[in-house]
Amino acid sequence: VLSVARSPLSLRGKRVRMVTGLTEVGVMDAESGEALLGISYGVDDRAARFALLPLTVLLADTQTVGDGRDDATAATVDASELLRLPREAAAARPVARGDAAEYVSAAAIGSGRGACSISHGVRFDAASIKVTPAASPADCCALCRATKYCHFFTFAANGDDTGGAATTRSPHGAGRASTAVDAEPSGGLCWLKQWSGTAVPAVGHASGTFSREAACGCELIAASRLEESPLLAEATARSPAACAPLCLRDVACAGFDWAPSVAWGGGVCRLRRRPPVAHFVPLPAAVAGGREETAGVVRLKRRLLLVHNHPPHLGFGSDRRLLALAQALVDSRFHLLFVGADAAGKAGRSQGRAQLLSIGVELVSAISEVELTQLATKHDVSVVILTLWFWGASASMPARYLRMLRTSLPHLKIVVMTDDVHHLRQRGLEARAASTRGVALRTGAEAEEMKEEELSHYYHADHVLTISDVDRGSILQSLRPGRRIHPRRFSTLRHVFGEAPHFPLASAPPFRDRR
């Protein structure tokens, strides 16, 4: 690979979603000798087209990734590094490098409330179950601990939530806009929440949680030291594992160094603040029988559940997208369990079960709401990903599981993964059906029911995976007044096509060789 495009290819006024073939068909003119290329492309799975394009036009907006090095030198370079655009390389820079020899956590995901961790300059954007006066973030901690279903909160000294009306919500009902508080505020206000939603930077705010110890742990890397990290505090610790709870209890702590020390009663733990960039520096291994310096960094617990209607089918583009996500999670060193909520699926279909097993993913099928909660507790998972498809009369995965998980295991982060804005698709299907029958569309009741359920699932999730930025915009525009979701709560995971190309020009001979 010599170059990659900086931006999507646009042909005939439309953005190209896939190129299925590229072949040289001749030259533009004898004088310049510039190559003329034939491109087979499509804007979706069905609409395949063909276009002629000069080579200079195709390469007008590309990022060069080859640098002229000889083959021997190039062989030692990670190709994935060369293929990254500059902004992607900056975003992909890891906080820490090294292989974790051990992972230490201070509490289990289902162990209940832990210490109150407060982050300043942050506002949680999830719906509020109660709004009450408070003098300080510490007061919010006490108020939240005394309130049923409260596990997160946001405090504002000036009583401004910087987003309009608060939303009051029961764990067993829909949200409704409300600006009522318990009493006239005498300064600050506290928004008590069942879940956090997105942490949004906000001046004058402070947000708190009881879930840091339950949702996070520390990765330990032996014979290493964490550099470029400001010192937060020092404490006595007999082992690196004893440093982990000390760090997890302090929200400002992002990692630590541990070293054996007689003066510190066996060992010293140096807690480190979160730096702009940090990395592990390898150290010489300790002498035989001795103890070596160890570094640790706070990480989300590495166990996840991916919950879908059934084990994936290789013939479905939506399920191939699931498999791509599973592979990415495994590559990032997460331990993944795939839950196919219903039976294995229709016999005879090509399934992705073998592919999941080949990358070390454990499969579980036919599981109830209570059993899923028990599974999450048993494996101490930190994130549950629920796919959102509307297939027949079967309940969607968020409709089946989200409320139970949210109420029983508040420390879990819940991600909803969707491949469409389903109510808009249903509305289009109803309109086409009405047009075909020659009658006017009367109520659109099914589309409206689907809209209410779909938007509710997005609203009550911690994060949403959409298939495009356009879908994200459509979801945000569809929210009813009084509800809001911060755009940061969305990420894009592109579609994976399950069909073969309609015009595989790459397998055809060049134009000059045809007779």
Side-chain angles (χ1 to χ4, degrees), residues 39-63:
I39 301 176
S40 177
Y41 69 99
V43 292
D44 55 36
D45 283 340
R46 297 291 178 185
R49 299 182 178 183
F50 182 80
L52 295 175
L53 204 65
L55 179 62
T56 53
V57 175
L58 182 67
L59 301 181
D61 189 24
T62 59
Q63 166 74 41

Side-chain angles (χ1 to χ4, degrees), residues 21-302:
L22 185 67
T23 186
E24 182 181 354
V25 297
V27 295
M28 286 291 294
D29 56 74
E31 183 177 348
S32 68
E34 181 181 359
L36 182 64
L37 303 178
I39 301 176
S40 177
Y41 69 99
V43 292
D44 55 36
D45 283 340
R46 297 291 178 185
R49 299 182 178 183
F50 182 80
L52 295 175
L53 204 65
L55 179 62
T56 53
V57 175
L58 182 67
L59 301 181
D61 189 24
T62 59
Q63 166 74 41
T64 301
V65 295
D67 57 3
R69 288 175 289 193
D70 56 58
D71 292 342
T73 304
T76 64
V77 179
D78 185 357
S80 63
E81 292 291 334
L82 291 176
L83 289 172
R84 285 196 181 108
L85 299 178
R87 59 179 173 79
E88 293 174 327
R93 187 179 296 116
V95 174
R97 295 184 182 274
D99 295 324
E102 186 179 357
Y103 188 90
V104 178
S105 59
I109 198 76
S111 60
R113 292 178 171 136
C116 183
S117 299
I118 299 174
S119 299
H120 293 274
V122 172
R123 177 175 64 84
F124 291 151
D125 81 331
S128 302
I129 57 177
K130 188 176 183 180
V131 184
T132 184
S136 67
D139 285 349
C140 276
C141 279
L143 290 168
C144 187
R145 195 181 291 276
T147 303
K148 189 175 183 180
Y149 297 118
C150 182
H151 301 279
F152 302 86
F153 63 84
T154 290
F155 170 82
N158 59 3
D160 179 17
D161 190 31
T162 69
T167 301
T168 303
R169 173 184 173 273
S170 162
H172 303 289
R176 58 182 177 84
S178 172
T179 54
V181 295
D182 287 350
E184 287 297 321
S186 58
L189 279 181
C190 187
W191 285 262
L192 306 181
K193 303 171 182 286
Q194 188 182 9
W195 82 102
S196 62
T198 303
V200 181
V203 177
H205 290 66
S207 293
T209 173
F210 302 93
S211 67
R212 179 175 163 93
E213 293 171 78
C216 300
C218 291
E219 288 186 353
L220 307 184
I221 293 85
S224 297
R225 181 183 299 138
L226 190 63
E227 292 289 354
E228 301 180 26
S229 303
L231 183 65
L232 176 65
E234 294 181 318
T236 298
R238 292 185 175 274
S239 67
C243 280
L246 299 177
C247 187
L248 289 169
R249 289 189 196 114
D250 191 335
V251 72
C253 181
F256 59 84
D257 299 318
W258 179 89
S261 172
V262 175
W264 284 82
V268 57
C269 182
R270 298 182 177 90
L271 305 182
R272 303 286 184 178
R273 293 184 182 274
R274 186 176 304 279
V277 177
H279 60 274
F280 288 108
V281 177
L283 301 173
V287 296
R291 293 190 295 172
E292 56 194 2
E293 293 188 39
T294 300
V297 65
V298 175
R299 298 285 198 201
L300 192 69
K301 287 182 176 178
R302 313 299 287 181

Side-chain angles (χ1 to χ4, degrees), residues 222-477:
S224 297
R225 181 183 299 138
L226 190 63
E227 292 289 354
E228 301 180 26
S229 303
L231 183 65
L232 176 65
E234 294 181 318
T236 298
R238 292 185 175 274
S239 67
C243 280
L246 299 177
C247 187
L248 289 169
R249 289 189 196 114
D250 191 335
V251 72
C253 181
F256 59 84
D257 299 318
W258 179 89
S261 172
V262 175
W264 284 82
V268 57
C269 182
R270 298 182 177 90
L271 305 182
R272 303 286 184 178
R273 293 184 182 274
R274 186 176 304 279
V277 177
H279 60 274
F280 288 108
V281 177
L283 301 173
V287 296
R291 293 190 295 172
E292 56 194 2
E293 293 188 39
T294 300
V297 65
V298 175
R299 298 285 198 201
L300 192 69
K301 287 182 176 178
R302 313 299 287 181
R303 291 182 176 270
L304 279 72
L305 292 181
L306 179 53
V307 186
H308 187 39
N309 297 68
H310 52 70
H313 299 303
L314 295 180
F316 298 161
S318 57
D319 284 15
R320 284 181 174 271
R321 183 167 169 253
L322 278 179
L323 290 170
L325 175 62
Q327 182 67 64
L329 291 170
V330 170
D331 290 344
S332 300
R333 296 187 296 135
F334 283 93
H335 179 80
L336 182 64
L337 286 84
F338 189 101
V339 179
D342 297 323
K346 295 181 179 179
R349 289 194 182 276
S350 177
Q351 298 183 19
R353 180 186 295 271
Q355 186 170 332
L356 288 173
L357 293 174
S358 70
I359 60 175
V361 176
E362 183 180 345
L363 276 80
V364 181
S365 62
I367 192 167
S368 68
E369 292 89 335
V370 174
E371 289 171 328
L372 185 68
T373 302
Q374 293 171 343
L375 185 70
T377 304
K378 174 184 176 181
H379 290 275
D380 200 24
V381 303
S382 58
V383 178
V384 174
I385 302 172
L386 302 173
T387 62
L388 179 55
W389 275 256
F390 290 91
W391 285 342
S394 177
S396 68
M397 297 300 97
R400 193 179 303 186
Y401 297 118
L402 195 152
R403 182 179 297 174
M404 173 69 76
L405 291 171
R406 182 67 76 200
T407 304
S408 302
L409 298 173
H411 300 334
L412 279 176
K413 298 300 180 185
I414 299 177
V415 178
V416 171
M417 178 181 179
T418 180
D419 71 338
D420 210 338
V421 184
H422 298 278
H423 71 274
L424 294 181
R425 182 201 64 213
Q426 180 63 28
R427 188 178 297 166
L429 291 174
E430 291 178 2
R432 282 194 292 273
S435 175
T436 301
R437 295 168 189 161
V439 296
L441 183 65
R442 293 192 298 273
T443 61
E446 187 173 349
E448 287 305 309
E449 281 184 26
M450 188 177 291
K451 176 182 178 180
E452 182 65 24
E453 179 185 341
E454 179 181 8
L455 296 179
S456 177
H457 296 326
Y458 299 145
Y459 183 70
H460 293 126
D462 291 293
H463 204 75
V464 181
L465 294 177
T466 60
I467 208 164
S468 69
D469 293 342
V470 174
D471 281 6
R472 177 192 64 186
S474 297
I475 292 169
L476 292 175
Q477 291 175 8

